[in-house]
Structures are given as structure tokens and as C-alpha cells.
Amino acid sequence: QETQVPPEIVIALLAKSKEYEASSLKESYIHGDACCDQFIYTMIFKVGDQETTIRTSDGANHPEEVSSLLSDIEELISMAEPVE
């Protein structure tokens, strides 16, 4: 089923994401080794011609900015509504 997020919510998230210095974050914050079951999150940010990828996992020791970005994205997904 196709869903969409209200445009004003996406605009607010984009505005907030500009507060983060993605370029100052490491590329990977994966917790431990890859031997165990865990959720791994990959976030890709593209601003102009510059693309930044950040990977993290549950239990990883990542900066608060990464936790906040994950929360914002999860909130955005939870606001998706079915397309009629």
C-alpha cells in the first residue's frame, strides 16, 4: 500500500536536519561485530552535489545527533498516511 507524509512535516524535518553537521560525523557507528542479529540503519544525506552516508546500529555508541536523526526519521515514517 502506498503512503505519503504531509509536505509540512517533511519540510520541518529538512529544516531541522540542516542543524546537524553531517560532515563532522563518522561514516560508521556499528556496534560490535556483525556476528549477531541487530538492526543496522543507513542514512544518506544529499545536499547539492555532496552526499554523506552514516551507518549505525542498535546499541552503538554514536553522538546525540545520530540518535536525534533516527528519532526524527522514525517519527516521519509514523506520520505516513495511506494514499487514496
Side-chain angles (χ1 to χ4, degrees):
Q1 181 179 11
E2 185 177 346
T3 60
Q4 65 183 18
V5 176
E8 60 273 10
I9 303 298
V10 176
I11 291 168
L13 176 62
L14 290 173
K16 186 175 181 183
S17 69
K18 290 181 181 179
E19 298 172 12
Y20 304 120
E21 288 292 326
S23 61
S24 69
L25 298 172
K26 294 191 316 186
E27 184 176 315
S28 180
Y29 295 95
I30 304 298
H31 177 65
D33 57 36
C35 73
C36 309
D37 289 341
Q38 58 183 309
F39 286 102
I40 295 178
Y41 306 93
T42 302
M43 298 174 280
I44 301 170
F45 302 93
K46 187 170 184 177
V47 178
D49 293 337
Q50 183 179 0
E51 185 173 289
T52 302
T53 301
I54 301 170
R55 297 180 70 225
T56 191
S57 63
D58 289 336
N61 184 19
H62 51 243
E64 177 58 35
E65 292 92 343
V66 174
S67 296
S68 187
L69 281 168
L70 284 172
S71 294
D72 290 345
I73 292 168
E74 288 172 354
E75 182 178 354
L76 179 77
I77 292 168
S78 73
M79 294 180 178
E81 300 170 345
V83 175
E84 297 179 11

